[in-house]
């Protein structure tokens, strides 16, 4: 067994052996730090343990692992209870795998929990577009923009803030692809926020996003 | 995630008209108590609502086993949310109520209503200084709601009350010490007081870290931004604290976007 494999086995065993909340948290953090594909199943199990600290560490680890973690979650997520599903959606939002796009879109608009909507809105700005066939990108980006413009009206300020960050991300991706027409609805949505959002922090983030997008357009 | 109390508000079970009727009647104490809370949460400041809440603030029917006045507590809280300057004198009078929790709610509501005319009365509750600020035997609280009083004084007072607030920095209860530090920062603008709250972000007690985060957000202490982002606590609370810091800086500089506000927003982006 190679040295790195040995370490993985050791840390997997530590997570299984943990018999109190603190031990679980420490062992999950150690396992997550390896960012090893072999940890995916164990980290996914932690999402269902109803231990928020350990779940946060598992989410971070799964996001670092990336595509293999997204693949595993996408095949399993339908069977999850609400709590595990919420954590899984955070992971998918953090990875930005386009195979999860429909789920992330739905989550950003209508999930029950504001922190899950917030993570999904932000995640929509960081989709791995290069993994999608070139001919589908413009249409899918346009769909993301439409959803995020809806999320700009969320009742929670922090979700609206996340939607602004998401829109900035899509705007940058669209500009890189040369999809000039996609900038207009984004600029419209952000200008609207600057004028009428009742939260100063959202206004400021929208103003900052808008100025970054206008810089892109000049180049 | 479920324990972050962050779910969308569930639909209120009663209508506005029902809430008014429930608060007006005196037969069912439970309905009345709930109506006072409901009107603070979902109501607006119509004179009819305000008048009913002012009546509830002097209620003598609803009594807790320990002699407290539950309806008065809810009324005092509701008045802080939907009240106006006309309710300030009634809230100041409530600071003399025998019920600790009524006094606490009144102090918080006076702060929320920006009632500077309550400073003298609030200061009088600190009589005897730190020596008098001891636990009530058999109760889970001190003789006065010191946190609420100090926080209100930090917002409403001026430098004249510094000598009265300062000794509480040495109180044995961490929460009282933090409230005093927060108030001293607001009264003097000296960063050394806010730094005491920054130190609390490193402590072992999650509750204390959370309350220090919210305090720093409330006072909008810009130099704490990075420390807030690194604190071991839920991102939801750190985002609320950073929003406070961001908005304070925006108001002070009268600019939405500057290198300072962008630095804070970068931290917020990383926590979403």
């Amino acid at each position: 067994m190679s040295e790195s494999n040995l370490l993985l086995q050791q840390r997997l065993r530590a997570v299984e052996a943990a018999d109190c909340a603190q031990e679980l948290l420490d062992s999950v953090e150690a396992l997550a730090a390896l960012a090893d594909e072999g940890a995916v199943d164990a980290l996914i199990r932690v999402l269902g343990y109803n231990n928020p600290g350990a779940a946060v560490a598992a989410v971070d680890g799964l996001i670092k692992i990336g595509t293999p973690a997204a693949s595993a979650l996408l095949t399993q997520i339908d069977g999850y209870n609400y709590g595990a599903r919420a954590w899984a959606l955070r992971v998918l939002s953090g990875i930005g795998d386009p195979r999860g796009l429909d789920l992330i879109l739905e989550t950003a608009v209508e999930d029950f929990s504001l922190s899950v909507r917030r993570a999904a809105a932000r995640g929509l700005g960081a989709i791995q577009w290069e993994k999608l066939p070139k001919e589908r990108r413009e249409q899918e980006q346009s769909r993301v923009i439409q959803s995020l413009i809806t999320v700009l009206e969320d009742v929670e300020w922090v979700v609206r803030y996340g939607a602004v960050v998401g829109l900035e991300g899509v705007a940058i991706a669209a500009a890189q692809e040369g999809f000039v027409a996609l900038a207009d609805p984004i600029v419209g949505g952000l200008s609207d926020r600057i004028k009428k959002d009742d939260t100063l922090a959202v206004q400021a983030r929208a103003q900052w996003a808008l100025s970054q997008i206008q810089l892109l357009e000049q180049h | 995630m479920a324990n972050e109390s962050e779910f969308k508000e569930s639909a209120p079970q009663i209508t506005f008209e029902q809430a008014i009727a429930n608060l007006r009647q005196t037969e069912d104490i439970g309905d009345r108590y709930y109506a006072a809370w409901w009107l603070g949460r979902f109501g607006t400041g119509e004179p009819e609502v305000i008048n009913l809440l002012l009546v509830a603030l002097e209620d003598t029917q609803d009594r807790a086993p320990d002699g407290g006045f539950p309806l008065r507590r809810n009324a005092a809280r509701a008045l802080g949310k939907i009240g106006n300057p006309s309710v300030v004198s009634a809230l100041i009078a409530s600071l003399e109520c025998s019920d600790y929790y009524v006094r606490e709610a009144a102090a918080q509501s006076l702060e929320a209503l920006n009632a500077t005319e309550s400073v003298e009365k609030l200061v009088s509750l600190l009589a005897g200084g730190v020596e008098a600020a001891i636990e009530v035997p058999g109760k889970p609280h001190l003789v006065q709601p010191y946190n609420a009083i100090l926080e209100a004084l930090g917002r409403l007072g001026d430098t004249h009350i510094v000598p009265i607030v300062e000794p509480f920095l040495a109180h044995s209860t961490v929460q009282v010490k933090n409230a005093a530090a927060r108030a001293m920062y607001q009264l003097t603008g000296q960063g050394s007081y806010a730094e005491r709250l920054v130190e609390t972000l490193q402590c072992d007690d999650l509750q204390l870290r959370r309350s220090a985060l919210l305090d720093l957000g409330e006072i909008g202490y810009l130099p704490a931004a990075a420390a807030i982002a690194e604190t071991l606590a839920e991102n939801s609370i750190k985002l609320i604290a950073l929003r406070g810091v961001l908005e304070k800086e925006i108001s002070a500089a009268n600019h939405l976007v500057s290198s300072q506000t962008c630095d804070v927003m970068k931290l917020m982006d990383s926590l979403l």
Side-chain angles (χ1 to χ4, degrees):
Chain A
M1 212 180 270
S2 73
E3 202 171 311
S4 67
N5 204 351
L6 210 73
L7 194 60
L8 174 67
Q9 297 308 327
Q10 215 174 38
R11 295 194 179 176
L12 283 168
R13 275 198 300 275
V15 171
E16 272 176 37
D19 57 6
C20 69
Q22 187 61 46
E23 250 179 59
L24 183 68
L25 174 59
D26 293 343
S27 61
V28 171
E29 277 177 349
L31 179 62
L34 295 178
D36 189 315
E37 200 180 325
V40 167
D41 291 340
L43 291 174
I44 287 178
R45 275 199 297 279
V46 174
L47 303 181
Y49 285 175
N50 194 24
N51 176 326
V56 167
V59 166
D60 290 345
L62 289 163
I63 291 173
K64 264 190 277 174
I65 295 167
T67 305
S71 305
L73 283 171
L74 285 167
T75 58
Q76 299 174 23
I77 194 164
D78 288 340
Y80 288 177
N81 65 25
Y82 178 76
R85 189 179 158 87
W87 291 115
L89 288 166
R90 280 190 166 198
V91 176
L92 291 172
S93 304
I95 295 173
D97 190 311
R99 290 172 299 166
L101 189 55
D102 285 344
L103 264 178
I104 304 172
L105 281 169
E106 191 189 305
T107 301
V109 178
E110 58 192 39
D111 196 88
F112 202 58
S113 152
L114 77 87
S115 71
V116 179
R117 297 202 301 285
R118 176 185 90 203
R122 191 271 326 262
L124 287 172
I127 298 294
Q128 299 171 325
W129 297 109
E130 69 283 1
K131 291 195 172 164
L132 206 64
K134 209 169 173 49
E135 65 276 12
R136 282 183 54 204
R137 288 181 201 162
E138 185 164 12
Q139 195 196 342
E140 293 294 75
Q141 287 183 0
S142 166
R143 208 155 64 94
V144 166
I145 292 165
Q146 278 169 21
S147 290
L148 282 173
I149 286 175
T150 313
V151 183
L152 285 179
E153 310 270 344
D154 196 283
V155 290
E156 297 289 345
W157 74 271
V158 78
V159 180
R160 299 197 300 278
Y161 185 103
V164 169
V165 175
L167 279 172
E168 179 186 288
V170 194
I172 292 167
Q176 281 164 353
E177 303 267 0
F179 304 147
V180 188
L182 296 185
D184 281 351
I186 298 177
V187 168
L190 293 175
S191 306
D192 210 34
R193 278 303 105 196
I194 298 167
K195 272 190 257 125
K196 71 174 201 199
D197 204 284
D198 62 8
T199 300
L200 218 43
V202 176
Q203 286 181 24
R205 191 63 187 84
Q207 176 73 66
W208 188 29
L210 193 61
S211 58
Q212 314 247 81
I213 292 167
Q214 281 159 349
L215 268 177
L216 281 174
E217 285 176 341
Q218 285 162 19
H219 291 114
Chain B
M1 230 169 289
N3 62 1
E4 284 181 41
S5 69
E6 55 168 32
F7 294 106
K8 276 190 221 164
E9 206 67 59
S10 57
Q13 299 292 309
I14 54 173
T15 63
F16 181 69
E17 288 70 27
Q18 267 176 302
I20 302 245
N22 287 352
L23 187 57
R24 180 173 287 122
Q25 57 86 40
T26 52
E27 306 274 290
D28 188 319
I29 288 174
D31 276 356
R32 217 177 165 206
Y33 177 77
Y34 182 70
W37 173 83
W38 193 95
L39 287 164
R41 179 67 187 79
F42 300 106
T44 47
E46 286 102 317
E48 187 186 15
V49 177
I50 299 290
N51 287 335
L52 285 170
L53 287 170
L54 286 172
V55 172
L57 192 60
E58 297 186 343
D59 171 72
T60 52
Q61 274 192 311
D62 186 3
R63 300 299 298 264
D66 66 353
F69 297 90
L71 178 61
R72 293 190 192 187
R73 297 172 192 167
N74 271 2
R77 290 182 195 117
L79 286 167
K81 295 195 175 97
I82 60 170
N84 57 53
S86 75
V87 308
V88 166
S89 58
L91 285 171
I92 291 177
S94 289
L95 290 174
E96 289 186 31
C97 182
S98 59
D99 181 341
Y100 169 96
Y101 298 103
V102 172
R103 300 198 299 278
E104 180 179 53
Q108 286 165 341
S109 290
L110 287 163
E111 180 188 355
L113 294 172
N114 211 11
T116 47
E117 61 268 52
S118 65
V119 168
E120 197 183 329
K121 185 75 203 172
L122 287 165
V123 164
S124 75
L125 299 188
L126 301 181
V130 180
E131 291 72 32
I134 53 169
E135 276 181 31
V136 179
K139 298 262 175 129
H141 56 69
L142 305 175
V143 291
Q144 292 291 353
Y146 291 98
N147 295 358
I149 295 166
L150 291 166
E151 283 178 16
L153 286 173
R155 165 95 172 267
L156 306 173
D158 56 31
T159 47
H160 291 103
I161 62 168
V162 163
I164 296 157
V165 171
E166 195 182 16
F168 286 88
L169 290 167
H171 195 274
S172 57
T173 308
V174 187
Q175 286 89 338
V176 175
K177 261 199 271 205
N178 284 351
R182 171 178 154 170
M184 286 298 289
Y185 175 73
Q186 288 173 307
L187 295 170
T188 66
Q190 280 179 35
S192 59
Y193 296 114
E195 289 299 331
R196 293 171 183 238
L197 297 169
V198 178
E199 280 166 34
T200 308
L201 297 178
Q202 304 282 342
C203 78
D204 287 332
D205 181 333
L206 177 60
Q207 279 310 334
L208 287 177
R209 296 200 298 274
R210 284 176 179 150
S211 89
L213 282 169
L214 294 175
D215 282 338
L216 285 164
E218 198 65 43
I219 61 175
Y221 184 59
L222 184 65
I228 289 171
E230 283 159 21
T231 301
L232 287 174
E234 299 87 337
N235 285 3
S236 301
I237 295 181
K238 295 195 266 185
L239 282 162
I240 292 169
L242 286 170
R243 172 190 168 182
V245 171
L246 173 63
E247 295 190 341
K248 176 89 175 191
E249 178 61 25
I250 290 171
S251 304
N254 206 13
H255 262 300
L256 287 173
V257 178
S258 64
S259 75
Q260 286 85 348
T261 62
C262 287
D263 285 345
V264 179
M265 289 190 279
K266 274 180 217 157
L267 294 168
M268 292 173 72
D269 290 3
S270 73
L271 298 168
L272 290 173

